[in-house]
Amino acid sequence: MSTNSELATIFSEMAAILEITGANRFRVNAHTRVARALKDLTTDVGLLAAEPAKLTTIDGIGAGSAKKIIEYTQTGKIKEHQEMLGSIPNGLLDVLNIQGLGPKTVKLLWEQANVTDVKSLSTAIDAGELTNLPRMGEKTIRNIKESIEFAARSTGRSRLGKAMPMAEAIAEHLRHVEGVKQVQYAGSLRRGAETIGDIDILASSTDPKTLAKTFQTMEGVDKVLVAGETKCSIRLATGIQVDLRIVEDDAFGAALMYFTGSKQHNVAMRERAIKRKLRLNEYGIFPDDGIDGPPQKRGVKPVAARTEEDIFAALDLPWIPPELREDRGEFKKKLPKLIELGDIETDLHAHTTESDGRMSLDELAQAAMERGYHTIAVTDHSKSSAQANGLSEDRLRRQITEVHEANERISGITLLAGSEVDILSDGRLDYDDDLLAELDIVIASPHVALRQRSEKATKRLLCAIQHPLVHILGHPTGRIINRREGLSPDIHALIEGAIAHGTALELNANYLRLDLRDTHVRAAADSGALISINTDAHAPDQFDQMRYGILTARRGWLTAKNCINTWSKQKLTQWLGSKK
Ligand code: DGT
Ligand code: CA
Ligand code: CA
Ligand code: ZN
C-alpha cells in the first residue's frame, strides 16, 4: 500500500490546493477521484505503472493522472504537485489537516483573516477575528480551537531514535562542565518508549549555576522556556523540549527514580511505601512521622535516597529495569533476566544495492562483522515491491549464487542467501515454493494493502506464518510510527500460529517501525513464541538501530533464549534447516 497511499495523499493535496486557489470544479474533482481510486486500489500502483495502459483502465484515472503516477514511481515526486505547494503559504496545509477544516474554510480563513499557518489561526481565534466571517458561529470556532489543541498534543511526540542521540549528546556535553558529578537522562526516554514527549535530564553538581548556564546556552537551543536554579527548560531548534533538573548528589537515586516514572509506576511505588509506614518522594524514602508536609523540609533523615537500588531494597524489591516501569506487573521479588544488546549474535534482515539498500554485499558483510556477528542475512525485496527495485526470479537466482560465492570468499562471518518476500494482499507469497526452497532464510513481510480489515489481515499473515518455507514474519503490522497505523491483526492468533509452526515473529528494530510493538512482544514472550530482532538495515550505520529493538524487546519482557538472534551459529543453522 505504501505507494498507493503516498500517491493518494499527493492527489488529495493537489485537489485541496486547487480548491484553495480557486481552480475550477472539474479539475478539483478529477484529482479527488484519483485520490479515492488509489485508496481503494488493492494492487500496488507501482506494479501497474510498469504497464501504463493498465492504469487508465482503473475507474477515475485518466491519461493525465496516469502520467503523473508514472512520474512518481520513477522519480519519487510529481513536478506539478511541487509547483502547487509553492503557490500557497507553507503552513496552510497544516491548517487543512486540522480535523474539521476543509479547503473551503481554509480558503476563507486565508483570504479574509490572513491565516497562513496553525499559529496565525490560533492568534486570530484568540483575538476574536473570526467571528465576523461568514459561516463562523461560536460553536464552529470552539471546535476549531479544540482540534488545534488535539493536533498539538498528538503530533508533538518525537520518535525514540530521534530523541535518544540528542539526549546522549546533551548528557555528554553536560558531563564535562566544571563541578558536575552525575548526569543521566530519565523519563520516557530512559524507559525506552517508542515516542518521547520531552527529554528529561537529571544532574548533580557542586556548581549548579554554571551547569544551568551551560545548558541554556548550548548549541542548538532555540528558546529558553524556564531558567530556574534547580529546573531549566529549553526548546531545541529541532522542536524537542528538554528539561534539566539539578538535584542533590546524595539524593540522586531518589530523583532519578521519580523522574524516570512512569507516573503509574510511581503511584504504585508510593502506595507500596505507605503500606510499610514509609513515605516516598523525589528526595528519598522517609519514615512516616505522621506529620503533614514534605519530611525532608523538617530535617527527617531518609531511609534511602542515594541510589535507586537502595530505595527499591527499602520496599523489598530488586532493582527494576526502567523499561519495565509501567505498572504492568513489575513489582515482583524476582524478575526475568531481560535480553541485552550484548546478547545479539546476528542480524537476519538487511538490504543491498540489489534492491533499495545502499550497501554492496561486501559492505554489508563488513558492517556485520564490525558488530561481532557470526551470521548476517541478505534479504532484498521481492518482485512485487517494484518501488523498492524488488528482484525478479532470475535476479534472485543470480544473487543466491553471488551470496554463496561471497560466503566462500569472506572469512569471519557467515552470509545467508535470503529474501524479504512480499506477502500479497491475499496471503500468497511473491515467489514460488521452488525458488523459496533454494534460499537459506525466508522473511515474509506485508508491504501493500495495509488498510485491510483485521480479520482479513489475520488470515493473510497466518498464511505466511503457516507456510513451511517461511522462517520469519517480517514487521507484522507494517506500521510507521507517527505516520501510518498499519494492519491490526489478531496478535494472539498470530502468536499461536507462530508457535505451532515454529515461525519467528520479527521485532523490526528500525525506530520508524518498532514492529512488533512492546505490548505485542510481551504477549509473544509470555506465550513462548520465538522473536527475531532485526534492523532491516539499508545502510551500514543502520545496524546500530538494533539498540531500539532491544529497548522495545525489554519493554516486552523478552529474554535472550526466546530471541533467535542470540543463538549460536550451530543452533541457528539447525533451526533454519528444520524448516525445509
Ligand atoms: P513523556 O515525556 O510524555 O514521553 O513521558 P514522561 O514519562 O517522560 O513524562 P514527563 O516528562 O511528563 O515526566 C517525567 C517523569 O516525572 C514521569 O515519568 C514521572 C515523573 N512525574 C512527572 N509528573 C508527575 C506527577 O504528577 N506524578 C508523578 N507520580 N510522577 C510525575
Ligand atoms: Ca519526558
Ligand atoms: Ca518532562
Ligand atoms: Zn526489509
Side-chain angles (χ1 to χ4, degrees), residues 37 45 65 249 318 404 423 473 482:
V45 73
S65 310
D249 195 55
H404 288 161
I423 307 172
L473 177 67
N482 279 357

Coordinates of all heavy atoms in Angstrom, one line a residue, residues 37 45 65 249 318 404 423 473 482:
A37 N -9.6 6.6 -6.0 CA -9.3 5.3 -6.7 C -8.0 4.7 -6.1 O -8.0 3.5 -6.0 CB -9.1 5.7 -8.2
V45 N 0.1 0.2 -7.0 CA 0.1 1.0 -8.3 C 1.5 1.0 -8.9 O 1.6 1.2 -10.1 CB -0.4 2.4 -7.9 CG1 0.6 3.2 -7.2 CG2 -0.9 3.1 -9.2
S65 N -3.5 11.8 -15.3 CA -3.2 11.3 -14.0 C -2.2 10.1 -14.1 O -1.3 10.0 -13.3 CB -4.4 10.9 -13.2 OG -5.4 11.9 -13.3
D249 N 23.4 15.6 45.1 CA 24.1 14.3 44.7 C 23.7 13.2 45.6 O 23.6 12.0 45.1 CB 25.6 14.5 44.7 CG 26.3 13.4 44.0 OD1 26.0 13.2 42.8 OD2 27.2 12.8 44.6
P318 N 13.7 -6.0 44.0 CA 15.0 -5.9 43.3 C 15.0 -4.6 42.5 O 14.0 -4.0 42.3 CB 15.0 -7.1 42.4 CG 13.5 -7.3 42.1 CD 12.8 -6.9 43.4
H404 N 26.5 -17.0 -2.0 CA 27.2 -18.2 -1.7 C 28.7 -18.1 -2.0 O 29.6 -18.5 -1.3 CB 26.6 -19.4 -2.3 CG 25.3 -19.7 -1.6 ND1 24.3 -20.5 -2.2 CD2 24.8 -19.4 -0.4 CE1 23.2 -20.6 -1.3 NE2 23.5 -19.9 -0.3
I423 N 4.3 -10.5 1.2 CA 3.0 -11.3 1.4 C 2.0 -10.5 0.7 O 1.7 -9.4 1.0 CB 2.6 -11.3 2.9 CG1 3.8 -11.9 3.8 CG2 1.4 -12.2 3.1 CD1 3.5 -11.8 5.3
L473 N 8.2 -13.9 10.2 CA 7.2 -12.9 9.7 C 7.7 -11.5 9.9 O 7.9 -11.1 11.1 CB 5.8 -13.1 10.5 CG 4.7 -12.1 10.1 CD1 4.2 -12.3 8.7 CD2 3.6 -12.3 11.1
N482 N 3.9 7.4 14.1 CA 3.5 8.8 13.9 C 3.1 9.1 12.4 O 2.8 10.2 12.1 CB 4.7 9.8 14.1 CG 4.8 10.1 15.6 OD1 4.0 9.7 16.4 ND2 5.8 10.9 15.9

